[in-house]
Amino acid sequence: MDEQGEAKFHQVAFDALPQGEATLLGVLHQFTAERMQAAERCRARAVQALQAAATAEPDLHAFLRECWEALDGLAREVNVCMYHAFPGAGLFPPTEMTRQCTFYVVRKKLYESPQTSEHPVSRLLWERTREAPDEAYGRLSFLYNLSLFFPLPIPDGKGLPGTSDLPESVRGIVKGAQIERCDLAEGTQAIVDWLTDFTDECYRRLAGTLVADGC
């Protein structure tokens, strides 16, 4: 991650937010950072397992979980900052966030509120993961949603499955998705790189929001 940008975001947020919300944001950020670090460890173990001709499925499954939890963690950080800047946008009050405060929900609330629909943070979340999703995010979403239902196949013993690798009986779970098979090591690295870049850009826009709005 961009440590300098991350530090700037935290300093801006610490100065802008009430003490209780700033403290909460720090805890939420620790969760996000730990999930991203865990995802990289799971990825490394999965790749090592493939190289040793061992079973990689459990580590791949854990990798996807950690990546998605990092996205949910990032969304809760977004919720705290954007609620402070736009309290009427329908976000969760920071002290009342529940398990329903997820990436999907925060993205939807920001997009649907007239106060925030065109905001740079809202546009980042919506455009790069919904309107015109980045390839790595599309693969992460596809694989994560599949992993909620059954163990993921590893085509040829080294690949990440695509739509064509799925039995007809389960394709309805990811209806509309058209994902190509790719190398596991390359595909998971692309997901890590995308998640890091997306998070860094989100922190940059959040910092700009708190400064620009004079919070």
Side-chain angles (χ1 to χ4, degrees):
M1 292 179 65
D2 178 1
E3 294 182 1
Q4 185 175 1
E6 186 180 359
K8 178 181 178 181
F9 163 61
H10 283 145
Q11 186 59 57
V12 169
F14 181 82
D15 292 340
L17 298 174
Q19 182 176 356
E21 292 179 17
T23 300
L24 172 61
L25 183 66
V27 175
L28 295 174
H29 175 72
Q30 181 180 356
F31 175 88
T32 305
E34 288 182 358
R35 300 284 64 75
M36 293 180 69
Q37 293 163 7
E40 296 198 48
R41 292 194 296 270
C42 291
R43 177 192 176 274
R45 289 197 299 268
V47 172
Q48 290 168 3
L50 287 185
Q51 293 171 344
T55 301
E57 286 90 338
D59 289 314
L60 175 58
H61 186 87
F63 168 77
L64 297 169
R65 287 289 191 277
E66 296 289 3
C67 287
W68 204 264
E69 288 196 6
L71 271 180
D72 282 341
L74 177 63
R76 289 187 280 272
E77 294 185 69
V78 169
N79 184 87
V80 170
C81 296
M82 294 295 284
Y83 180 89
H84 186 75
F86 302 97
L91 294 165
F92 296 85
T95 58
E96 299 176 18
M97 286 190 299
T98 68
R99 61 189 302 230
Q100 280 70 45
C101 187
T102 64
F103 181 76
Y104 281 160
V105 173
V106 171
R107 181 184 68 182
K108 183 174 185 288
K109 286 180 177 290
L110 287 172
Y111 178 73
E112 291 183 347
S113 171
Q115 295 183 26
T116 57
S117 61
E118 295 301 321
H119 189 278
V121 173
S122 307
R123 297 309 307 170
L124 175 72
L125 270 59
W126 190 259
E127 290 173 0
R128 292 188 60 181
T129 69
R130 184 67 173 82
E131 188 174 276
D134 295 334
E135 181 179 355
Y137 170 80
R139 177 164 284 112
L140 170 60
S141 177
F142 170 77
L143 295 174
Y144 172 72
N145 286 324
L146 284 177
S147 74
L148 294 173
F149 293 89
F150 61 91
L152 293 174
I154 298 184
D156 300 329
K158 62 178 182 179
L160 290 176
T163 309
S164 62
D165 295 303
L166 303 180
E168 195 67 38
S169 59
V170 301
R171 291 187 185 182
I173 294 173
V174 287
K175 186 176 181 180
Q178 291 297 321
I179 303 296
E180 298 296 325
R181 179 194 301 185
C182 73
D183 179 79
L184 185 146
E186 294 177 0
T188 53
Q189 184 62 59
I191 289 172
V192 168
D193 292 344
W194 176 84
L195 185 58
T196 300
D197 176 73
F198 183 75
T199 301
D200 287 343
E201 179 62 17
C202 192
Y203 287 152
R204 187 186 71 79
R205 296 192 188 195
L206 286 173
T209 298
L210 295 175
V211 170
D213 289 345
C215 298

